[in-house]
Amino acid sequence: MTFGISTSCFYPELTEKAAEWLAAARIPAAEVFFNAPSELAPAFLRKLRDTLDAGGTRVVSVHPFTSGLEPLLFFSEYRRRFEDGVEMYRRFFEAAAFLGASYVVLHGDRKEGKLPREEYFARYRALDEAAREHGVRLVQENVGRCRGGSAEFLAAMRKALPEALFVLDLKQARRAGEDPLALLRLLGKAVAHVHMSGCGPEGDCLPLHRGCFRPEEFLAELKRQGFSGAAVMELYREGYGEYGELAESVRILEAAAKALNA
């Protein structure tokens, strides 16, 4: 189990500047959130990889900036747009593979989406198969405003697609009225990646030294489930002050994990 930070925490700072900070801070793992099409260009990716490699920061996952378009691209009744969407996402799969990442995050359809579940699952499988052709995997995120935010939907997806993998986002679980620990137990070994955050009176997406969330029980359950991936901090910029609070959260996670293994 490793710990890190998503470059999305730094938004609207440039992605390469976020990578420079992560590398300088020697953060072990990172999720790269691409914010513009030009960031998929080979020259940009080479610079990004070199920057992170210099700091010993391993890219574990990639998050497309087109998440908001996924209902239109992949889950409408217009089949050709789905096929074109798969080709579009190959650029993210290629970028992930180039950076050494294992996963590409998918938000999926909006909560009000009408596509039958069996068709949703079939299209997810097809998109994941395209990802596998590039040596990476698609991971479904439990986003509160999307169909995947529901425990009931995730359970149905887990049953229909035993090979599917998931990214468990704690703040999104809270916003959907779901218990993050219960979702972890529901999805079990299919959880491949985690978005961490704290919570408390100030909000539901905080650094770990603020609020009332203590990660020990959650990390213990991750360990029981055999989790060997990365748990990365994913906060909104208004949810914390100095960048150092992100590194402090990583240190809290590392200390809690060390105590578990003592």
Side-chain angles (χ1 to χ4, degrees), residues 158-222:
R158 179 92 167 90
K159 183 177 181 180
L161 299 173
E163 74 282 5
L165 298 176
F166 299 85
V167 50
L168 178 54
D169 187 305
L170 274 65
K171 67 180 173 298
Q172 292 292 343
R174 297 174 190 128
R175 293 181 177 189
E178 302 284 359
D179 176 12
L181 201 57
L183 284 183
L184 174 56
R185 289 170 177 150
L186 170 70
L187 296 172
K189 297 184 184 302
V191 173
H193 186 48
V194 178
H195 289 163
M196 295 293 300
S197 57
C199 61
E202 296 178 74
D204 58 10
C205 184
L206 301 172
L208 296 180
H209 63 283
R210 288 161 52 187
C212 56
F213 176 75
R214 298 294 176 265
E216 290 81 5
E217 184 180 8
F218 186 82
L219 294 182
E221 186 61 34
L222 276 176

Side-chain angles (χ1 to χ4, degrees), residues 105-116:
V105 176
L106 186 86
H107 284 188
D109 199 8
R110 60 194 177 94
K111 190 185 297 184
E112 302 79 14
K114 302 299 184 184
L115 197 72

Side-chain angles (χ1 to χ4, degrees), residues 11-191:
Y11 184 87
E13 183 59 272
L14 293 173
T15 302
E16 64 270 28
K17 295 298 183 182
E20 288 171 9
W21 191 92
L22 294 175
R26 299 283 173 175
I27 301 301
E31 175 172 283
V32 172
F33 194 114
F34 289 112
N35 285 306
S38 60
E39 294 178 358
L40 296 171
F44 184 91
L45 291 172
R46 279 195 296 274
K47 181 179 178 182
L48 197 65
R49 186 178 66 180
D50 290 348
T51 297
L52 292 166
D53 282 352
T57 301
R58 182 171 65 92
V59 180
V60 296
S61 57
V62 157
H63 199 308
F65 66 92
T66 46
S67 294
L69 291 176
E70 287 168 359
L72 184 68
L73 287 174
F74 301 119
F75 303 106
S76 78
E77 296 178 343
Y78 200 68
R79 184 74 191 188
R80 180 183 292 161
R81 190 159 58 228
F82 169 75
E83 294 165 355
D84 288 354
V86 172
E87 294 309 306
M88 181 187 302
Y89 263 49
R90 286 187 187 277
R91 294 188 65 193
F92 292 109
F93 302 152
E94 290 167 357
F98 182 83
L99 294 174
S102 299
Y103 309 115
V104 174
V105 176
L106 186 86
H107 284 188
D109 199 8
R110 60 194 177 94
K111 190 185 297 184
E112 302 79 14
K114 302 299 184 184
L115 197 72
R117 282 187 178 180
E118 57 270 23
E119 182 61 20
Y120 183 109
F121 300 152
R123 293 188 188 188
Y124 184 93
R125 181 188 291 112
L127 190 56
D128 186 36
E129 287 173 355
R132 293 191 201 210
E133 291 174 13
H134 299 276
V136 300
R137 291 294 306 274
L138 196 66
V139 284
Q140 171 74 58
E141 186 174 6
N142 60 304
V143 178
R145 67 178 181 276
C146 297
R147 296 176 80 172
S150 156
E152 188 270 334
F153 182 89
L154 293 173
M157 185 171 177
R158 179 92 167 90
K159 183 177 181 180
L161 299 173
E163 74 282 5
L165 298 176
F166 299 85
V167 50
L168 178 54
D169 187 305
L170 274 65
K171 67 180 173 298
Q172 292 292 343
R174 297 174 190 128
R175 293 181 177 189
E178 302 284 359
D179 176 12
L181 201 57
L183 284 183
L184 174 56
R185 289 170 177 150
L186 170 70
L187 296 172
K189 297 184 184 302
V191 173

